[in-house]
Amino acid sequence: MVTDQGGGIPEAEGGPVRHIPVLLPEVLAALEPAPGKVILDGTFGAGGYSSAILKAGADVVGLDRDPTAIAAGQKLVGEWGGRLKLIHAQFSELAAHAPEGGLDGVVLDIGVSSMQIDEAERGFSFQKKGPLDMRMSASGVSAADVVNRAKVSDLIRIFGFLGEEKQSGRIARAIEKRRAEQPFETTRDLAGLIEVVTPRKAKDKIHPATRVFQALRIFVNDELGELAQALFAAEKALKPGGRLVVVTFHSLEDRIVKAFFQDRSGKAGGSRHLPMVSARAATFTPVGKPMVAATEEEASLNPRARSAKLRAGIRTEAASPGNDLSIFNLPELASLARLGG
């Protein structure tokens, strides 16, 4: 993902990005895969994490909402003789695919994959002409549906909240004017308009369409809602002592993961001016540092790692307090269902 001005920017702009698992040594150290353990990789992608976990001796359940990733991973399934199980599913559904005794670990690498960026027909990159799609699951509401049907006020909120685009109002109004004459169909249609409305300045480090494309992708795939639900699902699916490891690439994602671990730490909340709130039993204890970032060496070798942040926790025996989305303070945006074809 993008806004951190780091590793997500080259992906969003559509440059060639070879798939390299980010923070792999740190992920393995936090997960502690070993023979006899079952680890769920909720974002299988090209299988980078899964392959390393299998080599460490653990069995893997791999999920991906992208059917092409599941199809491409079948060769790896054959190579590992039944120790890798691949399932076409969203990671918010991971609890349904956990073994009866629970999982020993869950790893999530949040964001769009380099494989999806590289396929022009998927419509993720504005530097590759293709349909304005962006659907990771290849089904449901597309980016074109959103751009051509959403109210201007909704577009402003989507671009502003999810893309942190300062010119969201100007861009949204220009979209409304243009779509009245001709609907948007391709990535270049939208990127071209944005280039005219908010031309790139010499000091700008990113293309003017970067944040809008990022916002549309996050919205179309409900990425923030999916992440929040996946964290709750992992809490339910992990056995005591099981480990949850999450790698994010965007400030909005990292805030969600940070809020989750803080809420599940069991620390008392409230103001010092009000009566003490009784502490709740912690469902997770921290693993190592609260947040781990990529080294300068890794960031120089793999630009995608520049904005990566890893947070991890160990599941305790305490019961889950339930799924309270209010802890994440997610923005209220337009309903995806209303924008469908």
Side-chain angles (χ1 to χ4, degrees), residues 140-153:
V141 175
S142 71
D145 292 328
V146 177
V147 170
N148 290 320
R149 296 183 177 133
K151 297 177 182 177
V152 170
S153 58

Side-chain angles (χ1 to χ4, degrees), residues 2 8-17 112-135 143 186-192 195 207 209-210 213-214 216-217:
V2 189
I9 295 301
E11 290 184 27
E13 291 194 348
V17 181
V112 67
S113 77
S114 55
M115 298 180 300
Q116 292 167 333
I117 289 290
D118 289 340
E119 297 172 2
E121 64 272 17
R122 303 298 297 274
F124 286 99
S125 170
F126 50 76
Q127 289 193 351
K128 298 175 184 293
K129 184 176 180 179
L132 192 57
D133 194 322
M134 303 192 193
R135 296 172 295 180
T186 71
T187 54
R188 291 307 306 163
D189 284 345
L190 181 58
E195 289 170 356
H207 189 281
T210 298
F213 270 63
Q214 166 196 288
L216 285 170
R217 192 200 74 236

Side-chain angles (χ1 to χ4, degrees), residues 51 66 84 123 213-214 239 298 304 307 325:
S51 294
D66 188 341
L84 171 62
F213 270 63
Q214 166 196 288
K239 62 176 66 170
E298 180 178 5
R304 184 173 183 253
S307 59
L325 286 172

